[in-house]
Amino acid sequence: MAMQNLRQFLFALSAAGAVGFVAIIFVLRWVLHFKEGLAWDGGLAEFNWHPVLIVIGFVFLQGIAIIVYRLPWTWQCSKLMMKFIHAGLNSAAFIFAVVALVAAFDFHNTAKIPNMYSLHSWLGLLAVILYGLQLVIGIGMYLIPLTPVSWRAAFMPIHVYSGLFLFTSVIAVALMGITEKLIFGLSNPKYKDSPPEAIFVNVLGLLLVVFGALILWIATRTPWKRPSDQILHTLHTNGGSEDITKAGPALSELADGTNTEDGDVRRRSNKLDNLDD
Amino acid sequence: MAMQNLRQFLFALSAAGAVGFVAIIFVLRWVLHFKEGLAWDGGLAEFNWHPVLIVIGFVFLQGIAIIVYRLPWTWQCSKLMMKFIHAGLNSAAFIFAVVALVAAFDFHNTAKIPNMYSLHSWLGLLAVILYGLQLVIGIGMYLIPLTPVSWRAAFMPIHVYSGLFLFTSVIAVALMGITEKLIFGLSNPKYKDSPPEAIFVNVLGLLLVVFGALILWIATRTPWKRPSDQILHTLHTNGGSEDITKAGPALSELADGTNTEDGDVRRRSNKLDNLDD
């Protein structure tokens, strides 16, 4: 990665990290300061685990999982190890989301509030189910050695699109959840009277949007891709008809800044091996 | 575009058109059948213009504006004409959104409901302002002949990202608006009692998500890009270092199916001219 490029990447990454961190502080302050705190008692303090686990796990961890291949200091690690980290972070995010769902259902059942009536609940449950499916298919495709390389390559655009779409959907569903909770949770003063809690949690919503925007920006910049993936991208763009040796610029960037040996560079430049390792 | 590719494109396009059309029918049936109908009287029937204009203009028209360059039968039209159609559809969407805002503010003022207290209103107003900014900058960059070609090329990734991000945000804000309206608008039976209107409008929310997913899929498939833009993309991916004559595959696709003359093909293959026309 060229120097100016690297500086821009580190700026975007720091901004995403900072905004994500502040969002986590905000959701914790929301439930601990403005609301009933955290407990596992079937009451409102159990429900409060729902937004906390969603923001920490389903938003923040999922966001980091998405951009983990973009971190330049991991480009000397094997692709297989990075895949395990990607799958591990996404699995953790999935577990957070499932426990968050249990907290919401538990609270509803105890309080005799119906489940699954709102658009938030429909889209949220759909997102968790599809995320689980994406996880299972992702592991089957890219971590099981038996899967044919041609399947891996053909499925990659769908895997990337689904991943970014699910991440975006999760943030949209979180914003709907904030809207519901502020309407139901605030009375005297109500949401429309803009008490401090309303303003504070609206800002949390804004932070989630900015975090999402930064992660999507980092994930979709081609020059910020892991070098071997840049080459793959070029090959796909050109319909795979181009000689592999022409993918020079991306490789020359790899040599600049990482202590990769020549042999390693050649190994990474091989499309089939890359998908296989 | 190869035949199988074209078939997949037409399938995705038909699906997007059908889902978008059904979403418009749903929002009209919502306000005309379940609610107070449409009028401009400061009351609930005026507010009802808000969801109608947002779904028709800010979601559907904006979605079509985004993918207008992807329609293969427009590839024989000049890029300039397509830019005017793109800008025209986006301008129409912007006007729909502004009138939709006026309807909501008017209703609030008449009913003495505060404005701008909810996360929906914050993000919605922000989306309309940023959309207006995107429109002005887009026209300044790509329709004013004086703008340097280097600026146009440098700004294109930001223009594309902002456009897709704003479209996604508008759908997220619409889902929050649906949530608010179903909570405030339904009483006896309430939203949580799942009356027919609640189920019907939840389905409208699902339709908006599916429409968004299809538009984003169509917009981000590289093989479905207008041929001259495919070449540009390849150039950007390779850092612009590649000889222009190597961008053969995309051009050969152009010749297949459109009655373009050879001279025209050569004109389109020139990166500078393309950004300039």
Side-chain angles (χ1 to χ4, degrees), chain A residues 100-159:
Chain A
L101 281 201
V102 172
F105 277 88
D106 240 29
F107 163 70
H108 283 171
N109 293 341
T110 309
K112 307 241 185 294
I113 298 169
N115 288 301
M116 298 305 302
Y117 68 86
S118 71
L119 184 54
H120 167 75
S121 65
W122 287 23
L123 293 175
L125 186 63
L126 206 59
V128 174
I129 292 170
L130 292 176
Y131 191 74
L133 199 67
Q134 166 91 340
L135 204 55
V136 170
I137 296 177
I139 291 169
M141 277 279 173
Y142 301 108
L143 281 175
I144 292 186
L146 289 172
T147 311
V149 169
S150 61
W151 290 21
R152 295 181 172 194
F155 188 69
M156 187 46 87
I158 299 170
H159 181 73

Side-chain angles (χ1 to χ4, degrees), chain A residues 30-110:
Chain A
W30 182 21
V31 303
L32 296 175
H33 172 76
F34 289 104
K35 308 224 64 91
E36 306 79 9
L38 293 166
W40 200 269
D41 57 1
L44 282 162
E46 179 170 336
F47 175 84
N48 290 345
W49 279 109
H50 183 74
V52 167
L53 293 173
I54 291 294
V55 170
I56 297 178
F58 219 17
V59 176
F60 187 76
L61 285 184
Q62 185 185 173
I64 302 303
I66 285 173
I67 58 160
V68 86
Y69 297 112
R70 299 292 176 281
L71 307 173
W73 50 90
T74 69
W75 292 349
Q76 54 193 312
C77 306
S78 81
K79 184 75 184 255
L80 184 63
M81 191 179 103
M82 294 316 296
K83 287 184 187 181
F84 273 118
I85 293 174
H86 179 72
L89 286 169
N90 276 306
S91 303
F94 180 69
I95 292 165
F96 274 69
V98 170
V99 180
L101 281 201
V102 172
F105 277 88
D106 240 29
F107 163 70
H108 283 171
N109 293 341
T110 309

Side-chain angles (χ1 to χ4, degrees), chain B residues 15 46 166:
Chain B
E46 179 170 336
L166 282 170

Side-chain angles (χ1 to χ4, degrees), chain B:
Chain B
M1 217 188 257
M3 207 52 205
Q4 204 209 339
N5 214 343
L6 181 66
R7 206 174 293 128
Q8 287 174 1
F9 171 81
L10 291 177
F11 180 78
L13 181 71
S14 315
V19 172
F21 183 75
V22 175
I24 291 174
I25 302 294
F26 263 61
V27 75
L28 285 171
R29 187 170 151 83
W30 183 21
V31 302
L32 296 175
H33 173 77
F34 288 104
K35 307 223 63 87
E36 306 80 8
L38 293 167
W40 200 269
D41 57 0
L44 283 162
E46 179 170 336
F47 176 84
N48 290 344
W49 279 109
H50 183 75
V52 167
L53 293 174
I54 291 295
V55 170
I56 297 177
F58 220 17
V59 176
F60 188 77
L61 285 184
Q62 186 185 174
I64 302 302
I66 285 173
I67 59 161
V68 87
Y69 297 113
R70 299 292 175 278
L71 308 173
W73 50 90
T74 69
W75 291 347
Q76 54 192 312
C77 306
S78 80
K79 184 77 185 256
L80 183 64
M81 190 178 106
M82 295 316 295
K83 286 183 186 181
F84 273 118
I85 293 174
H86 179 71
L89 286 169
N90 276 306
S91 303
F94 180 69
I95 292 166
F96 275 71
V98 169
V99 180
L101 282 202
V102 172
F105 278 88
D106 240 29
F107 164 69
H108 282 171
N109 294 340
T110 308
K112 307 242 184 293
I113 298 168
N115 287 301
M116 300 304 304
Y117 69 85
S118 72
L119 184 55
H120 166 75
S121 65
W122 288 22
L123 293 175
L125 186 63
L126 206 59
V128 174
I129 291 170
L130 292 176
Y131 191 74
L133 198 68
Q134 166 92 341
L135 204 55
V136 170
I137 296 176
I139 291 169
M141 277 279 174
Y142 302 108
L143 281 175
I144 291 187
L146 290 171
T147 311
V149 168
S150 60
W151 291 19
R152 294 181 173 194
F155 188 69
M156 187 46 87
I158 299 171
H159 182 74
V160 169
Y161 172 85
S162 307
L164 296 183
F165 184 74
L166 282 170
F167 174 68
T168 309
S169 300
V170 163
I171 291 181
V173 174
L175 300 176
M176 299 165 73
I178 286 175
T179 298
E180 279 194 9
K181 185 66 188 173
L182 288 176
I183 295 174
F184 293 137
L186 289 170
S187 56
N188 205 8
K190 291 179 165 183
Y191 191 18
K192 69 171 183 217
D193 303 317
S194 293
E197 181 183 340
I199 307 292
F200 185 82
V201 182
N202 282 355
V203 173
L204 168 60
L206 274 179
L207 290 169
L208 296 181
V209 172
V210 174
F211 178 73
L214 288 165
I215 295 293
L216 291 172
W217 177 256
I218 293 170
T220 54
R221 290 317 89 195
T222 310
W224 292 355
K225 282 190 175 166
R226 189 179 161 97
S228 51
D229 298 333
Q230 286 181 359
I231 296 162
L232 261 179
H233 181 78
T234 307
L235 283 165
H236 283 152
T237 306
N238 292 347
S241 65
E242 198 147 348
D243 186 344
I244 193 98
T245 57
K246 288 199 191 125
L251 277 179
S252 68
E253 286 168 16
L254 176 70
D256 162 29
T258 55
N259 53 358
T260 323
E261 292 165 26
D262 255 352
D264 196 16
V265 170
R266 216 167 295 121
R267 193 179 59 75
R268 280 159 196 267
S269 75
N270 186 310
K271 180 190 177 186
L272 302 187
D273 183 69
N274 175 282
L275 280 163
D276 208 37
D277 75 3

